[in-house]
Amino acid sequence: MDCRIESAETHRNKCAACFRQFNKLEHLVEHMRISYHSVHEPTCGICRKHCRSFESLREHLIGPLPKQECRDIFSYRGCKFCLKVFDSPNTRRIHQEKCQHSATNAGIIGRFSNLGLRDNFAISGGARGPQVVALACKMVGGGSDGSLDLCGRVCLTDEHENIIFHSYVKPPIPVTNYRYETTGIRPEYLRDAMPMRQVQRRIQDFLCNGEPMWTIRARGGRARILVGHGLDHDLESLQIEYRTEKIRDTAKYPPLMKTSKLSNSLKYDIQAGIQDPYDDCVATMRLYMRMRSQVHRTQDYPLVSDPQNRNNFASWRQSELERMTPEQMLEVSRSDYYCWCMDSLYNP
């Protein structure tokens, strides 16, 4: 009888999301108050454990110390790329052939793009045009020691990996280190290149798409979603300002934050040798589209910052929260970040 009571009490103090155990119920409430568990977290398709990042989920499934039951099932029914679990090994095999990301085509197209300038800019006005674009830059060095990053090459692509704009860029100050080993840029490539100020204006106008900067909002509108990796650095080098509500940076997205290199998430190398900004655009766009295509349960007010969720875990509700089951607490918990799956709803 005592064992059954202890077991029920243990279950009552167990987080329904991450399965963490607490000695006291008030500690579980405090955990839920600061953890921001939600339907948008990466979740194990076997035991339904919520993880803060895909790297944590990967460790849970196939890491050095995985959960044994989950590892055994995942080994023959799980996709090693997107970490989804399927009904049968055959279904997994068919999916994995499509899910695997190969850099072969991107590399070939990228090499062709080196042959000349691509300029397909168009401010769409009435026509929508591409609503999601990826940006990548390659930096040469300026200053006395060549350590100052200057944009020497820039590429912009759409969601179908078509090149919108690809150009060498003439920096506003002299280049002292072309970093040829990684950029492939020679002095003659920049001699008659498009000036940085002109590149800045063209890209900024294209991103805003005819919409004044101060009217751009997170949901809807004509302004385009901008995808990239480490976009703060790229935009600073181009001296471009853009609304954070429209930026999707894979270097800052919480589910991807623990991934040390972008290529680790995509399962192909974009870091070795001479780096083509087109390849980086393709890599970040594919990762963004993967995150965007996730299917999560729709909620009217999905963010903890929404005013409607302000009192979900308010201290004055402590007694009421302690009467809830762990599942009920998870039901009222909300995400502390904007999940990119919501772009399909708000920015179709």
Side-chain angles (χ1 to χ4, degrees), residues 33-306:
R33 183 176 285 128
I34 64 175
S35 295
Y36 307 110
H37 289 308
S38 75
V39 297
H40 298 286
E41 289 179 303
T43 304
C44 175
I46 301 162
C47 70
R48 308 309 300 171
K49 178 182 178 180
H50 290 223
C51 298
R52 188 61 180 171
S53 70
F54 282 98
E55 196 71 15
S56 297
L57 177 58
R58 189 180 297 277
E59 291 175 4
H60 169 77
L61 292 168
I62 54 178
L65 296 172
K67 183 177 180 181
Q68 190 66 38
E69 179 186 357
C70 295
R71 186 191 70 173
D72 292 345
I73 295 175
F74 186 83
S75 64
Y76 66 91
R77 282 171 42 196
C79 173
K80 62 183 179 181
F81 301 111
C82 67
L83 305 182
K84 291 181 180 178
V85 178
F86 296 87
D87 296 333
S88 68
N90 187 53
T91 306
R92 187 275 302 264
R93 180 184 59 79
I94 295 171
H95 162 85
Q96 199 159 264
E97 289 174 355
K98 298 178 181 178
C99 190
Q100 183 174 7
H101 285 164
S102 169
T104 304
N105 291 335
I108 292 173
I109 297 172
R111 282 191 288 274
F112 275 113
S113 71
N114 288 336
L115 299 178
L117 176 73
R118 298 290 185 89
D119 188 348
N120 296 319
F121 275 142
I123 309 303
S124 41
R128 287 183 63 82
Q131 287 304 295
V132 182
V133 296
L135 173 74
C137 298
K138 288 304 166 190
M139 307 295 175
V140 292
S144 59
D145 60 355
S147 63
L148 180 63
D149 285 343
L150 307 171
C151 180
R153 192 175 173 196
V154 63
C155 185
L156 202 67
T157 66
D158 64 17
E159 58 263 49
H160 304 296
E161 302 175 14
N162 299 313
I163 295 173
I164 298 169
F165 183 71
H166 196 171
S167 175
Y168 291 110
V169 181
K170 188 174 184 178
I173 64 174
V175 177
T176 55
N177 183 356
Y178 287 87
R179 305 174 183 174
Y180 176 78
E181 294 78 9
T182 56
T183 66
I185 297 176
R186 299 182 185 275
E188 56 268 27
Y189 297 169
L190 303 187
R191 192 169 296 129
D192 298 316
M194 187 179 294
M196 193 274 289
R197 292 292 184 188
Q198 185 177 348
V199 172
Q200 172 204 32
R201 286 195 303 271
R202 299 192 62 140
I203 292 178
Q204 184 132 29
D205 288 347
F206 182 78
L207 293 176
C208 293
N209 197 22
E211 190 171 355
M213 181 73 72
W214 60 88
T215 66
I216 294 175
R217 57 192 188 279
R219 301 175 182 179
R222 294 202 307 270
R224 295 178 165 97
I225 292 173
L226 179 62
V227 176
H229 186 78
L231 279 171
D232 285 350
H233 188 218
D234 288 347
L235 293 175
E236 182 181 4
S237 72
L238 291 167
Q239 298 181 18
I240 290 175
E241 294 183 3
Y242 200 51
R243 296 294 296 265
T244 55
E245 295 90 342
K246 289 293 186 180
I247 290 177
R248 306 291 181 262
D249 194 334
T250 59
K252 292 184 174 182
Y253 190 51
L256 302 173
M257 285 287 283
K258 289 189 178 181
T259 302
S260 59
K261 283 188 177 181
L262 182 61
S263 54
N264 289 347
S265 295
L266 296 175
K267 292 300 174 185
Y268 69 81
D269 188 8
I270 62 170
Q271 302 287 341
I274 293 177
Q275 300 164 15
D276 193 313
Y278 173 80
D279 291 344
D280 290 355
C281 285
V282 168
T284 52
M285 183 61 79
R286 289 182 181 181
L287 186 51
Y288 166 76
M289 295 304 288
R290 175 179 285 181
M291 296 296 102
R292 176 175 172 145
S293 66
Q294 296 178 101
V295 179
H296 296 143
R297 181 161 55 87
T298 303
Q299 297 170 317
D300 290 336
Y301 305 104
L303 300 176
V304 69
S305 57
D306 290 331

